[in-house]
Amino acid sequence: HWRRLADAAKAGGFQRQRFGALSVLSDEAYRGDDIDAVEKIEREALADARGWGNRPEEAASLYGLALGANASGRPDDAEQHFREAIAI
């Protein structure tokens, strides 16, 4: 149901609802140890945030990507994402 909400929110241009739904999806994937899904969702959110010029959500998505990279044993990628997020 969160995926449907995220897709409908994007279609309607409802940023807050879109990012909220994607955040829930990412959190559920992270808790379920599905790091590939986390990174896919966060990349999707990052593209939307950049497309909409939403800098706080861009930073949040980079943070999520950093957590995913760290959890999958890629600390260098995690550090790069953290640095990008902090720079925002």
Side-chain angles (χ1 to χ4, degrees), residues 1-82:
H1 119 273
W2 289 107
R3 171 47 64 186
R4 286 194 311 269
L5 176 61
D7 293 344
K10 181 176 183 176
F14 299 104
Q15 291 185 40
R16 186 170 49 90
Q17 292 82 357
R18 168 72 171 169
F19 293 120
L22 290 176
S23 179
V24 169
L25 287 168
S26 180
D27 289 347
E28 288 178 349
Y30 191 83
R31 284 193 308 271
D33 203 30
D34 188 352
I35 303 306
D36 289 340
V38 169
E39 292 183 298
K40 181 181 178 197
I41 293 162
E42 294 297 346
R43 280 192 295 275
E44 181 180 351
L46 180 60
D48 286 347
R50 287 180 171 161
W52 278 325
N54 189 323
R55 301 289 281 169
E57 290 298 340
E58 184 179 348
S61 298
L62 287 164
Y63 176 78
L65 283 169
L67 293 179
N70 192 57
S72 63
R74 298 184 341 267
D76 291 342
D77 290 342
E79 180 181 356
Q80 180 60 36
H81 292 309
F82 279 132

